[in-house]
Amino acid sequence: QHVVITHDRINKVIKTYYNGKHVDTDTYTNSAAAVTAGSIYMGGYAGLANSTYAYNGFIDEFKIYNTVLTAEQARMEFNGGA
């Protein structure tokens, strides 16, 4: 399975793509806090590694970009850059 999540802080929009297809768009009205330091936790929360909320599986090829991917770029990621 391939998942891409984009977060556009300027327009306050979060989009989700699943296997190259756009499946969800969410908007918000409050301000997103700027994070300039600290840790990223994938599949759980800080201090909850043994929690029932922790993801029990594997995450492969995790990427972070400093720009919001377009729908076409998300599709290309799913297709291996093609």
Side-chain angles (χ1 to χ4, degrees):
Q1 306 304 312
H2 186 266
V3 177
V4 172
I5 299 172
T6 65
H7 178 206
D8 180 346
R9 289 186 60 199
I10 294 170
N11 296 306
K12 300 181 178 180
V13 175
I14 298 171
K15 293 184 179 181
T16 304
Y17 300 86
Y18 180 73
N19 290 341
K21 295 181 180 159
H22 177 248
V23 295
D24 189 39
T25 298
D26 292 307
T27 60
Y28 58 94
T29 56
N30 61 333
S31 298
V35 178
T36 58
S39 300
I40 295 174
Y41 295 90
M42 292 300 302
Y45 297 103
L48 293 179
N50 294 322
S51 167
T52 57
Y53 297 106
Y55 176 70
N56 184 17
F58 296 98
I59 297 174
D60 186 27
E61 296 186 36
F62 177 76
K63 299 178 185 180
I64 297 177
Y65 295 92
N66 64 353
T67 186
V68 177
L69 296 181
T70 65
E72 178 64 14
Q73 290 169 321
R75 184 192 63 74
M76 287 180 64
E77 279 290 317
F78 171 66
N79 291 325

